[in-house]
Amino acid sequence: MACMTGLFADKVIVIIGAGPGFGRTLALEAAREGATVVVAARTQERLDQLADEITQVGGRAIAAAVDATDPDSVRALRETVEQHTDAVHGLVNSAFAVPSMKPLAETEHDQITRGIDLSVMGALRATQEFTPLLEAGDGSVVMMASAVIHHSRERYAGYKIAKTALVALGHSLATELGPRGIRVNTVAPGYIYGDTLKAYFEHLAGKYGGSVEDVYQHTAAKMDLRRLPTEREIVDPVLFLLSDKASAVTGQTLTVDCGEFHT
């Protein structure tokens, strides 16, 4: 793996929610920039495959299963990381589950609670556990929210509740952890045009007629740039916020959506 700029040379970055799509791309790019990447998610087999992919091209990776809703599991992840390093320089909280897409009147309360437990409380658990290691590394935390925080479209309410709370958590942690040298920021992606979204567009094309390209163009028409961001275009702002290039940036929410919303 040819190191690009060495942005994260000799640094450790923990990615919670390093599943397929965005998480995989983030892990690969962080490794390309010199980081030792800890990839963490629920499925050990998938993590092992990702770690192998990174190491086979010359990067450094540690695979560790974690359930962000289980305090003991998050603690075990931190203990695993401590076996390899005494400092963490970046933590990305990106645990994700497909949200309920029903109007609130039809949404079971436990569906909303589960979303908050994973996205919000999971991020809090991880940040609390890793705070001493992050302090030792003058670390940066990035919360992965969503541009859903900027609208109130029908059927997105449960997801919006969780992601808006995650932004608030990021603000409060930035204030509390700033004196310890830890920065906390949030990235709010819009649509991310990767395999998952392509499959959804295929579903819509089959349901309503037309082609995937028709669905894409209809969706992209809402964006100033008339296109949707790619996985890499979401990854790069995250890497920036994790890096020393953003050393004076904390408590901020960066929307990356090709101009769908102006914030």
Side-chain angles (χ1 to χ4, degrees):
M1 177 176 287
C3 188
M4 297 173 66
T5 66
L7 195 62
F8 301 114
D10 302 319
K11 294 189 175 183
V12 176
I13 293 177
V14 178
I15 303 172
I16 296 179
F22 164 79
R24 172 183 172 275
T25 302
L26 176 61
L28 287 166
E29 292 304 317
R32 287 185 67 194
E33 292 288 359
T36 295
V37 183
V38 180
V39 289
R42 293 188 181 191
T43 308
Q44 184 69 51
E45 181 180 2
R46 182 179 293 160
L47 294 171
D48 290 339
Q49 292 172 352
L50 176 54
D52 286 345
E53 186 177 358
I54 292 170
T55 56
Q56 285 173 8
V57 293
R60 298 182 300 276
I62 300 164
V66 68
D67 179 353
T69 67
D70 181 351
D72 291 337
S73 179
V74 177
R75 184 174 303 111
L77 172 64
R78 187 258 301 160
E79 291 171 348
T80 296
V81 173
E82 282 183 323
Q83 294 173 13
H84 298 272
T85 183
D86 57 4
V88 167
H89 305 89
L91 170 65
V92 180
N93 287 305
S94 186
F96 173 80
V98 177
S100 169
M101 296 297 289
K102 297 178 181 179
L104 282 177
E106 301 172 16
T107 301
E108 297 292 335
H109 290 184
D110 67 343
Q111 291 179 304
I112 297 175
T113 301
R114 288 196 301 270
I116 292 173
D117 191 26
L118 178 63
S119 293
V120 186
M121 299 308 297
L124 178 57
R125 291 181 191 104
T127 306
Q128 286 174 325
E129 281 291 339
F130 280 95
T131 289
L133 291 172
L134 287 163
E135 185 175 14
D138 292 324
S140 171
V141 180
V142 175
M143 309 292 194
M144 294 305 301
S146 167
V148 71
I149 63 175
H150 300 305
H151 68 74
S152 297
R153 294 170 188 160
E154 188 178 4
R155 301 181 186 277
Y156 285 88
Y159 192 48
K160 177 178 180 175
I161 290 169
K163 292 303 185 181
T164 303
L166 181 61
V167 172
L169 173 64
H171 290 168
S172 294
L173 286 173
T175 297
E176 293 187 16
L177 298 180
R180 301 176 70 168
I182 301 170
R183 296 181 294 108
V184 184
N185 292 287
T186 301
V187 172
Y191 293 94
I192 305 176
Y193 200 57
D195 290 341
T196 301
L197 188 59
K198 290 176 185 177
Y200 179 59
F201 282 5
E202 289 174 0
H203 166 74
L204 292 179
K207 183 176 181 179
Y208 297 108
S211 66
V212 171
E213 180 62 21
D214 292 334
V215 177
Y216 181 99
Q217 293 300 332
H218 175 76
T219 306
K222 305 179 182 72
M223 321 301 168
D224 290 343
L225 298 180
R226 301 298 189 269
R227 64 179 183 83
L228 308 182
T230 64
E231 290 173 356
R232 178 61 188 271
E233 288 175 315
I234 306 300
V235 163
D236 283 345
V238 174
L239 294 178
F240 165 72
L241 290 172
L242 290 172
S243 77
D244 291 340
K245 292 180 180 293
S247 58
V249 181
T250 195
Q252 304 304 307
T253 301
L254 177 59
T255 300
V256 187
D257 64 358
C258 286
E260 182 176 11
F261 300 102
H262 295 178
T263 62

